Amino acid sequence: MKKLKIGVIGCGTIGRAIAAACQKELSGCVDLVALCDIDKEKASGLAKTLKRKVPIFEMSGLIKKSGLVVEAASGAVSAKVLSACIAGRRDCLVMSVGGLIGKEDLLVRAAAAGVKVYIPSGAISGIDGLKSAMAGMVTSVTLTTRKPPKGLAGAPYLKENRIDISKINCETVVFEGSAEEAVKGFPQNVNVSAVLSLAGIGAKKTRVRIVTSPDYMKNVHEIEVTGASGRITTRTENAPSATNPKTSALAIFSAIATLRQAASSVRIGT
Ligand SMILES: NC(=O)c1ccc[n+]([C@@H]2O[C@H](COP(=O)([O-])OP(=O)(O)OC[C@H]3O[C@@H](n4cnc5c(N)ncnc54)[C@H](O)[C@@H]3O)[C@@H](O)[C@H]2O)c1
């Protein structure tokens, strides 16, 4: 099988881990051919840590050079990256999934252009079951996210509703609403609810509850799916990544696993 030519946009926590994996555990099936970061020092800093030399490009140059573009930059740019990949007929793995909410037409355009879009499960488990359930009828999808207060500090929803998170002294539900509303009110929680929405019944119908407590030590995501297939519940307790506490280690591993799957002829799980 021909090796996939990977270009990585965004050389932060996730980009660095993916680039390293491309030259280590994925080296049998992929070639890392290009790096890009809005902060040139981040890109050159990453290039220096890699075993084999990898050139640095602007976004358009990277897309031309790559067969599969990995977006690990920001929700502000992920739709633009995917759009450019569609125009250039390049496959794309999107990590900043929140940037695709409201722009779901891009997925339709990608399919029409024969461009594959990979959206890893990220920091949650249960996407496999949800996808299977969607082949029948799904009546509800609910995400309950539990985070320590500091993991929610600064969220626009808290400011707008004058919720002083530092004064919360017991387990408290701070938000209940649609994934569409959660994406706006809690941008740092957007990727998990966005992945769930795209795999399931959409951002308007997917329900989100955000709960906090000073006793919480980890970010926990619980999913409940109900429908014709029965009831699915999952609970994922996330360890933070070593360099960015906002990014869970599982999100990084899911990107690496998705690249491995993209390069493989065997698919296990839905
Ligand atoms: N899907 C998931 O489950 C999941 C989980 C965690 C993080 N994420 C998302 O993945 C992305 C990367 O996460 P991270 O932890 O590596 O973040 P990070 O802040 O460590 O790294 C992001 C990098 O992207 C660069 N960047 C920002 N805008 C850019 C642009 N326009 N062009 C090129 N480079 C740009 C930054 O300079 C930085 O080096 C974020 O958007 C984050 O929200 C997704």
Side-chain angles (χ1 to χ4, degrees):
M1 203 168 176
K2 233 176 147 189
K3 284 191 185 183
L4 292 174
K5 290 185 179 175
I6 306 291
V8 175
I9 300 180
C11 300
T13 301
I14 296 179
R16 292 174 77 88
I18 291 175
C22 285
Q23 293 199 345
K24 224 172 158 191
E25 62 262 41
L26 297 176
S27 62
C29 53
V30 310
D31 261 336
L32 181 64
V33 296
L35 297 174
C36 162
D37 198 292
I38 201 166
D39 177 343
K40 300 234 158 40
E41 283 180 16
K42 286 258 185 85
S44 57
L46 169 57
K48 278 185 203 140
T49 67
L50 295 169
K51 271 195 290 180
R52 285 180 291 284
K53 214 169 173 261
V54 181
I56 295 163
F57 292 88
E58 296 291 326
M59 190 172 105
S60 59
L62 176 140
I63 290 173
K64 268 191 207 138
K65 187 94 181 141
S66 314
L68 195 168
V69 174
V70 173
E71 179 285 319
S74 142
V77 82
S78 56
K80 191 176 158 203
V81 170
L82 179 54
S83 191
C85 286
I86 294 167
R89 300 286 193 272
R90 299 299 197 266
D91 294 341
C92 186
L93 182 154
V94 181
M95 286 309 291
S96 311
V97 195
L100 303 185
I101 294 302
K103 295 171 186 157
E104 290 85 348
D105 60 301
L106 279 172
L107 302 177
V108 179
R109 278 179 45 207
V115 165
K116 286 188 187 143
V117 182
Y118 297 97
I119 298 180
S121 304
I124 48 176
S125 53
I127 294 295
D128 53 349
L130 173 57
K131 279 164 59 189
S132 302
M134 284 295 291
M137 190 195 50
V138 169
T139 43
S140 72
V141 180
T142 307
L143 165 72
T144 302
T145 289
R146 298 176 191 278
K147 284 193 171 182
K150 67 174 179 348
L152 299 172
Y157 178 90
L158 299 177
K159 275 190 197 153
E160 278 157 27
N161 292 280
R162 298 181 188 195
I163 299 170
D164 184 350
I165 203 97
S166 66
K167 297 226 166 82
I168 288 179
N169 55 16
C170 59
E171 192 170 74
T172 306
V173 177
V174 291
F175 171 84
E176 258 185 307
S178 69
E180 192 178 47
E181 291 159 342
V183 160
K184 290 186 193 128
F186 295 85
Q188 289 178 5
N189 199 50
V190 3
N191 294 302
V192 170
S193 53
V195 173
L196 201 59
S197 299
L198 293 176
I201 56 178
K204 286 188 198 315
K205 289 188 190 154
T206 301
R207 305 299 296 167
V208 177
R209 271 173 13 118
I210 299 177
V211 190
T212 193
S213 163
D215 296 334
Y216 290 172
M217 295 298 151
K218 285 180 178 165
N219 293 342
V220 177
H221 299 298
E222 294 158 353
I223 290 167
E224 185 181 80
V225 176
T226 59
S229 62
R231 181 165 163 264
I232 300 166
T233 59
T234 72
R235 177 180 162 93
T236 313
E237 289 184 20
N238 282 295
S241 62
T243 54
N244 182 353
K246 283 187 208 149
T247 290
S248 304
L250 191 66
I252 297 172
F253 299 150
S254 86
I256 294 171
T258 300
L259 283 181
R260 194 190 297 283
Q261 183 168 294
S264 168
S265 57
V266 179
R267 305 231 157 178
I268 300 171
T270 41

